[in-house]
Amino acid sequence: MLIEHLTPAIGSEIHGLDLSDGAAVAKHAQALRDALAERQVLFFRDQTLSPEAQVFFARTFGEVLPVASTFPVHPDNPYLELLISKGKKTGTDVWHADMTWQKQPPAATCLYAQDVPATGGDTMWASMASAFESLDPALQGYLAGMTAVHDWEAPELVRSLMGQENGAQRYQEMRREFPPIDQPVVLTHPVTGRKQLFVNSLYTTFINHMSRDESATWVAYLSGLAKIPEWQVRFKWRKGSVAVWDNIATQHYAVNDYHPSARRMHRVTIR
């Protein structure tokens, strides 16, 4: 197994590992966990994974729980969700981290490309640890201890949910199960000890103990640090590609430039 770093700040491609080979994955499990903690997103090419094999691989990085997002569940596997786009916006072409509106957001995510367009549809990731470390120490201290409100009801995701079978019922269930919650503005990573910003423009609606105008300015500034190229890596998907990323330390952006082509991805979230 070889590890190739793609940028100084974030992202590595792993060569020479068949993710459908459980014994090989188990042999390199600790090295993979260490690489993910250090590099924040890992990429694998030319993989062939059944739903069961993808879930097995995802367990390398932590506990896998049944799907609890707004996307459809795979009919044969309750741990795997379907990200399918057919000529329409999905609402993920904005910098964000996954499901930060949950009390315990996913620690990591495993995404597998089933079908991808010939061109377009890249995904970008940004290191929010590097973004935090770029701030003046006085500003870092000012942000420490602050909390912000996170809410899943972004307009794009509500539209996506309502367009699904039993969408209205699922919408009401989601509202009952996941009311808005407070999250720290700055998190300390449980493995590396690095501090990172935990604010994103999709789900962070308000920074507490500020006026509305002040909050809007700070949310825009802090979440916008993901847009700085030095903290980013960009990945071109091919059929059979896999990405695993640290959902605590990063934000990501699904580039929406491939419609009306269709794309199908399988996602497993890791707690």
Side-chain angles (χ1 to χ4, degrees):
M1 187 181 79
L2 300 176
I3 303 176
E4 176 189 2
H5 298 337
L6 302 183
T7 78
I10 181 174
S12 295
E13 186 167 340
I14 308 298
H15 303 278
L17 184 61
D18 179 359
L19 301 186
S20 67
D21 184 341
V25 169
K27 176 182 177 182
H28 295 288
Q30 189 57 56
L32 290 168
R33 288 191 287 269
D34 292 344
L36 181 63
E38 176 190 356
R39 301 299 300 164
Q40 301 163 79
V41 55
L42 304 179
F43 304 110
F44 307 81
R45 295 288 193 186
D46 304 319
Q47 303 293 325
T48 302
L49 295 177
S50 66
E52 293 73 21
Q54 184 181 352
V55 170
F56 180 88
F57 168 64
R59 287 196 172 103
T60 301
F61 303 96
E63 181 185 7
V64 173
L65 294 178
V67 173
S69 77
T70 60
F71 291 98
V73 181
H74 192 287
D76 300 323
N77 195 304
Y79 301 100
L80 192 147
E81 57 192 320
L82 306 177
L83 279 60
I84 303 172
S85 53
K86 297 179 180 179
K88 61 182 180 181
K89 290 174 68 69
T90 61
T92 55
D93 53 340
V94 59
W95 285 104
H96 67 287
D98 289 333
M99 293 180 274
T100 62
W101 36 267
Q102 294 187 356
K103 290 182 179 179
Q104 291 184 305
T109 303
C110 175
L111 191 62
Y112 173 48
Q114 285 270 300
D115 294 294
V116 296
T119 58
D122 297 357
T123 302
M124 304 168 68
W125 285 264
S127 168
M128 300 313 291
S130 295
F132 177 80
E133 291 161 359
S134 73
L135 299 175
D136 184 273
L139 180 53
Q140 293 177 353
Y142 174 69
L143 297 172
M146 286 188 173
T147 60
V149 178
H150 289 239
D151 188 352
W152 70 272
E153 289 193 65
E156 298 90 343
L157 297 185
V158 171
R159 284 196 294 270
S160 174
L161 181 62
M162 294 296 286
Q164 299 174 22
E165 185 177 359
N166 299 324
Q169 178 181 341
R170 287 200 64 201
Y171 172 72
Q172 294 300 329
E173 292 170 351
M174 289 283 291
R175 292 198 73 189
R176 287 192 296 270
E177 186 173 359
F178 299 108
I181 62 169
D182 289 347
Q183 299 281 24
V185 169
V186 178
L187 278 176
T188 300
H189 194 280
V191 177
T192 67
R194 294 176 75 185
K195 294 184 183 299
Q196 52 257 315
L197 293 169
F198 201 62
V199 175
N200 68 84
S201 60
L202 186 58
Y203 299 130
T204 307
T205 60
F206 192 83
I207 296 180
N208 293 313
H209 309 299
M210 289 185 175
S211 71
R212 186 164 297 279
D213 286 345
E214 286 175 324
S215 171
T217 299
W218 278 107
V219 169
Y221 172 67
L222 296 175
S223 62
L225 291 173
K227 300 176 183 178
I228 295 178
E230 283 79 3
W231 318 144
Q232 297 176 357
V233 65
R234 181 167 178 150
F235 186 62
K236 177 176 175 55
W237 293 98
R238 300 196 299 256
K239 182 178 176 64
S241 297
V242 174
V244 180
W245 66 91
D246 186 325
N247 191 59
I248 302 299
T250 67
Q251 291 189 45
H252 57 283
Y253 184 109
V255 180
N256 187 47
D257 61 353
Y258 58 94
H259 300 300
S261 300
R263 185 171 80 164
R264 180 187 176 102
M265 315 289 272
H266 287 179
R267 184 169 74 176
V268 178
T269 56
I270 301 158
R271 307 296 177 181

